[in-house]
Amino acid sequence: MLDKSFQEYYTKVKMVNYLSKTIYWKSVDYDKKIKFSKDRALPLIDENGNEHSQLFEQQPIDSVENQVIESYNLPLAEKIENQILKEAFENLTDRQKEVIQNVYGYEKNINETAYEMCISQQAVSKIHKNAIANLREKLLKGCESYD
């Protein structure tokens, strides 16, 4: 009976410890997320010195900003001006193109790209490394042919 009581007590202690650690790490993640969102939406100060938050106020978008936003959604292949680089990009595999598009076109990091593609961070890193190596190799060959 004493053994059974101790086992129940020990199980409860382990459960409380687990829950305590889970709550702690979730709160740390929440704090990081809040800090990240605050860093991304810095307050604006108008000419009168009044502070406005970018999160809640809609700012007028002029034509230059509108063009930047529109070009953000374009595929990376349409943004590349160097013909050799464009051809090298088109010769990449679909997965390599997707990784390069996310990392350089949409400015996502490797972890965000991995989450979006439902593969591991290591796999995305390897695909990225191979894609860059392929692009570099084709660029160097293309530059040598112009010499």
Side-chain angles (χ1 to χ4, degrees):
M1 190 169 160
L2 181 63
D3 241 6
K4 186 176 179 181
S5 296
F6 180 75
Q7 286 176 350
E8 289 175 9
Y9 172 76
Y10 186 69
T11 304
K12 289 178 184 177
V13 167
K14 286 174 67 175
M15 184 60 75
V16 168
N17 188 23
Y18 170 76
L19 291 173
S20 172
K21 287 181 179 180
T22 303
I23 290 170
Y24 172 77
W25 288 112
K26 288 292 181 180
S27 67
V28 168
D29 288 343
Y30 178 77
D31 288 342
K32 286 179 183 178
K33 196 178 291 184
I34 294 297
K35 183 182 180 306
F36 179 73
S37 68
K38 283 183 181 178
D39 288 346
R40 290 190 70 168
L42 297 174
L44 294 175
I45 299 176
D46 63 9
E47 60 274 352
N48 298 331
N50 298 328
E51 193 173 295
H52 302 284
S53 174
Q54 291 178 344
L55 288 176
F56 302 110
E57 292 185 12
Q58 189 67 290
Q59 300 296 325
I61 299 176
D62 64 358
S63 62
V64 173
E65 289 175 338
N66 213 358
Q67 291 173 359
V68 169
I69 291 171
E70 289 174 5
S71 70
Y72 178 80
N73 294 324
L74 286 176
L76 195 59
E78 293 181 21
K79 295 180 189 178
I80 299 174
E81 295 176 0
N82 184 326
Q83 191 60 34
I84 299 170
L85 183 59
K86 193 172 204 166
E87 290 172 9
F89 181 79
E90 290 170 358
N91 289 332
L92 295 176
T93 66
D94 290 337
R95 279 207 136 169
Q96 289 176 335
K97 287 179 189 176
E98 186 177 357
V99 168
I100 296 295
Q101 175 67 43
N102 283 335
V103 172
Y104 298 105
Y106 300 137
E107 298 178 2
K108 294 181 181 178
N109 63 30
I110 298 292
N111 291 331
E112 292 169 335
T113 303
Y115 180 77
E116 186 176 296
M117 295 176 68
C118 299
I119 57 177
S120 70
Q121 178 267 332
Q122 291 87 354
V124 172
S125 184
K126 185 176 179 181
I127 292 168
H128 178 259
K129 179 182 172 185
N130 290 338
I132 295 298
N134 289 345
L135 291 173
R136 181 178 292 127
E137 179 183 331
K138 297 223 167 90
L139 269 175
L140 289 174
K141 285 182 182 177
C143 290
E144 289 173 0
S145 66
Y146 282 114
D147 289 340

